[in-house]
Amino acid sequence: MNLPFDQIDEATARSAAGGAELPMFDPTFPARVAVLMRSRPIADAAAGGVRQDWPDATYDVATLALAAIDMIIARQGFEDEASYRDVIAGLADLARRAAPGRSVDEHEKVAAYTLDALLNRAQREAPFTYRISDYGREDGAHQQRQVQFRLLIEREDPVRGEVVLNATRDAVNALVGGLEFDVEDEQVANELMLERQLAKGAFAAAEKAAVRARLLSVSLADDLNRLIKDTRRDLRSVLEQWANDVPERLDAARDHISARLESEHRLLVKVRESLDAEDEQVTAAAARIAGILTECARRHEALHRQVITARGVFLEEQNRQAFRPPAGGYLPDLGQEVLQPLLGLDTDTARTVVDRWLSDITGPRPVKLPRLYRLLDDLWAARGPLDETRDLVEAEEEIGDPDPPTIPPEVITAAQHIITRIGLPARLSTLIASALTGEDLTNSEQRRQTAEILALTALWSYAPEELEPGQPVSADLAAQILGPRAAADTDGLPLRLPGWDGDDLIIAAHPDALETADPIPVTTLHLSAQESA
């Protein structure tokens, strides 16, 4: 008698493979499938490359994709992290080597296609999302689980002011082809294996182990960077981690890094012993291994600096964020969630969205309602006489400060003649007396202006910083009258001319001449009868 399929009991289904437990009912089976999904974007890119407009079987997109991840990881964490253009240039060179007869534009197109596939730019750089089946429930029922991850991300380097590429931990695991593992334990085991391979002289296998050590170093740094980034962004999201396991993780990371640096130093000593070998292949492999181990040491030194400052970051962010007001609501990513979807719309739809957005952010605008009493007051108000010239007068009036008074050119010329005639060094009293009593100008007002100009230029040469703003004297004017290197000093002798106060300054053509200058002062003025009146 045959039973319907839906009546076969669960035990029969689980023992369908010769009485053994089927692996898909293991609770860890979905995790294995999720790890397998990490390589699916690369496989999809390789399959999609067949449909592109370059000849089939010309470029290996899968190899180019793994090469792109390796290029990014090799420079990740250093000052010269790879940018989009850097990776495109590297992939285009590989494409040129694969098809030297094809055009340069096609090589760059293949490189861009490969890198955009890893960034998931077809979906506006959203995370790769896949659904997998889970049969691990106790009752054997089927349920779907969603797997989300990114292989590459773009971030802005604040030091260089440029967008750079970073590989995620999922990309590292996809490249090394492993499951989720404890990075520290894996790195210790890998270095032990590398040490044994070097002792046996298996340099080809040792080089592969060294490359894997570099990838593990990147993964270890990625964990700490993610923690620091989350702490700076919102301490509340990682507060439980800091309260429970982060202090122990930091202590363990510090001990681990110290051990790794010591191990890498020991391995470098062994590798450098092989650099003098007669076999060129051994020498080349040893040089490559030494370079990789040196890079790992640099990464661990940089990671050590981050570990010892991590607690300081936590305390600083706690002080900073404790007094920060809570966010008013969900803040979208303007680039990924607003701008890029908007650019993908057609013109009419985008215009409708923008108009609605503008009306929402500007807020309501109430209609202005007229007041009846104001209307009546305006209607009943008596009209005054119309002044036709009022608007014209107001239009001619300028708003703002009045223009500063200008210095007549003849006053500047007279001051220059006085300096030329008397010569420097000279006392300020001599220059003032010559301006007030000389024959360069016949107008007494212009003579007074000349004397003031000479006094102000002397003060400018003595202490320009003490000159009040707005004075009609500048450094150019002082150089024009007294000379470009003119300097002034005082010996304490007062100015004894009638109507003038202050020190009788000594003005010289250059600072060195002040040391020996001792001109005779003038104490009286000989004015004409008209000027005296």
Side-chain angles (χ1 to χ4, degrees):
M1 179 177 178
N2 295 329
L3 295 176
F5 181 76
D6 57 0
Q7 295 182 12
I8 299 177
D9 75 353
E10 178 185 343
T12 303
R14 288 176 179 266
S15 60
E21 185 81 7
L22 292 178
M24 71 280 300
F25 295 108
D26 190 333
T28 62
F29 190 81
R32 295 163 57 190
V33 178
V35 172
L36 182 63
M37 289 294 104
R38 290 192 183 100
S39 60
R40 181 169 172 180
I42 300 177
D44 292 343
V50 179
R51 298 188 292 272
Q52 302 302 315
D53 56 357
W54 53 74
D56 191 13
T58 304
Y59 305 101
D60 185 357
V61 176
T63 300
L64 293 177
L66 293 177
I69 297 176
D70 202 17
M71 291 178 194
I72 295 170
I73 291 177
R75 296 164 60 176
Q76 187 167 324
F78 297 131
E79 295 179 356
D80 58 339
E81 290 186 311
S83 64
Y84 185 88
R85 295 191 301 272
D86 296 336
V87 180
I88 289 296
L91 294 181
D93 181 66
L94 296 178
R96 179 187 59 80
R97 295 169 184 267
R102 308 296 297 179
S103 65
V104 176
D105 293 339
E106 183 176 290
H107 297 155
E108 294 180 350
K109 188 175 182 180
V110 173
Y113 167 79
T114 304
L115 187 55
D116 290 346
L118 295 176
L119 288 168
N120 199 19
R121 286 198 166 177
Q123 300 298 326
R124 302 183 181 91
E125 297 190 21
F128 293 103
T129 304
Y130 301 103
R131 290 190 174 275
I132 62 175
S133 295
D134 183 3
Y135 298 95
R137 294 176 55 176
E138 294 183 358
D139 57 358
H142 170 267
Q143 62 178 351
Q144 281 193 336
R145 292 176 55 186
Q146 183 173 278
V147 178
Q148 283 191 339
F149 61 91
R150 284 187 171 92
L151 295 179
L152 302 178
I153 58 174
E154 290 183 303
R155 71 172 186 86
E156 183 178 3
D157 187 347
V159 177
R160 296 163 55 186
E162 186 179 6
V163 177
V164 297
L165 298 175
N166 281 172
T168 64
R169 184 171 182 174
D170 294 302
V172 174
N173 290 334
L175 191 59
V176 300
L179 300 176
E180 291 287 349
F181 48 78
D182 189 318
V183 175
E184 299 177 4
D185 295 341
E186 178 77 9
Q187 200 163 34
V188 172
N190 189 76
E191 289 181 356
L192 289 175
M193 180 177 63
L194 175 59
E195 188 171 3
R196 290 184 178 181
Q197 290 167 345
L198 290 174
K200 293 188 300 182
F203 285 92
E207 185 176 356
K208 295 180 182 178
V211 173
R212 186 180 181 89
R214 182 182 65 184
L215 297 175
L216 296 174
S217 300
V218 174
S219 181
L220 184 62
D222 184 65
D223 291 341
L224 182 60
N225 288 334
R226 189 185 308 114
L227 174 66
I228 297 298
K229 182 179 179 181
D230 293 341
T231 302
R232 294 187 185 279
R233 182 177 57 210
D234 188 0
L235 181 60
R236 295 172 297 179
S237 63
V238 291
L239 190 59
E240 186 176 352
Q241 299 181 38
W242 278 100
N244 297 326
D245 59 343
V246 170
E248 296 180 359
R249 285 172 54 189
L250 293 177
D251 293 338
R254 187 169 58 250
D255 297 338
H256 171 78
I257 294 170
S258 177
R260 298 288 63 73
L261 288 173
E262 182 180 355
S263 175
E264 286 160 356
H265 177 71
R266 186 175 63 254
L267 291 173
L268 276 171
V269 172
K270 290 186 177 182
V271 171
R272 286 166 181 164
E273 293 176 354
S274 303
L275 293 176
D276 298 330
E278 296 181 357
D279 191 344
E280 295 182 357
Q281 294 183 352
V282 173
T283 303
R288 290 193 295 268
I289 295 173
I292 296 173
L293 290 177
T294 303
E295 180 185 340
C296 291
R298 289 175 56 199
R299 290 184 182 277
H300 281 137
E301 290 172 357
L303 184 60
H304 182 258
R305 289 192 293 268
Q306 288 185 313
V307 168
I308 62 178
T309 59
R311 286 187 173 88
V313 172
F314 169 76
L315 296 176
E316 291 175 2
E317 293 302 318
Q318 189 178 35
N319 292 334
R320 184 180 68 87
Q321 299 182 28
F323 302 100
R324 183 180 64 182
Y330 171 72
L331 298 178
D333 186 340
L334 294 179
Q336 300 292 334
E337 301 180 19
V338 178
L339 180 59
Q340 291 190 5
L342 179 65
L343 295 177
L345 300 176
D346 58 88
T347 304
D348 294 337
T349 307
R351 183 179 291 109
T352 303
V353 173
V354 172
D355 291 343
R356 176 65 182 274
W357 176 73
L358 287 174
S359 63
D360 289 344
I361 66 170
T362 53
R365 289 176 292 180
V367 180
K368 293 184 179 180
L369 299 177
R371 300 287 184 176
L372 182 59
Y373 73 91
R374 290 180 179 175
L375 177 61
L376 293 177
D377 290 343
D378 292 341
L379 293 175
W380 290 344
R383 175 177 294 185
L386 181 61
D387 187 359
E388 297 182 354
T389 62
R390 179 179 178 181
D391 294 338
L392 297 177
V393 174
E394 291 181 352
E396 293 177 356
E397 293 180 356
E398 295 183 359
I399 300 176
D401 297 332
D403 294 335
T406 58
I407 302 173
E410 55 270 17
V411 172
I412 298 177
T413 303
Q416 292 173 335
H417 288 169
I418 292 172
I419 297 297
T420 303
R421 184 173 65 251
I422 296 177
L424 298 179
R427 291 276 184 179
L428 178 59
S429 58
T430 304
L431 301 180
I432 293 176
S434 177
L436 294 176
T437 61
E439 298 179 356
D440 297 278
L441 295 172
T442 57
N443 189 336
S444 59
E445 178 64 22
Q446 290 184 346
R447 289 182 178 181
R448 182 187 61 80
Q449 290 180 357
T450 304
E452 291 179 352
I453 290 300
L454 289 170
L456 289 175
T457 53
L459 290 174
W460 179 275
S461 301
Y462 178 70
E465 67 278 4
E466 297 180 0
L467 198 61
E468 296 182 2
Q471 294 286 349
V473 177
S474 65
D476 293 337
L477 181 60
Q480 184 180 358
I481 294 176
L482 300 179
R485 299 187 58 200
D489 200 356
T490 178
D491 56 359
L493 186 67
L495 189 63
R496 300 186 183 278
L497 290 177
W500 296 83
D501 293 325
D503 290 348
D504 195 356
L505 299 178
I506 301 174
I507 300 97
H510 52 84
D512 296 337
L514 287 172
E515 297 180 0
T516 59
D518 188 19
I520 300 174
V522 175
T523 58
T524 58
L525 298 176
H526 300 285
L527 302 177
S528 63
Q530 182 181 359
E531 292 171 348
S532 300

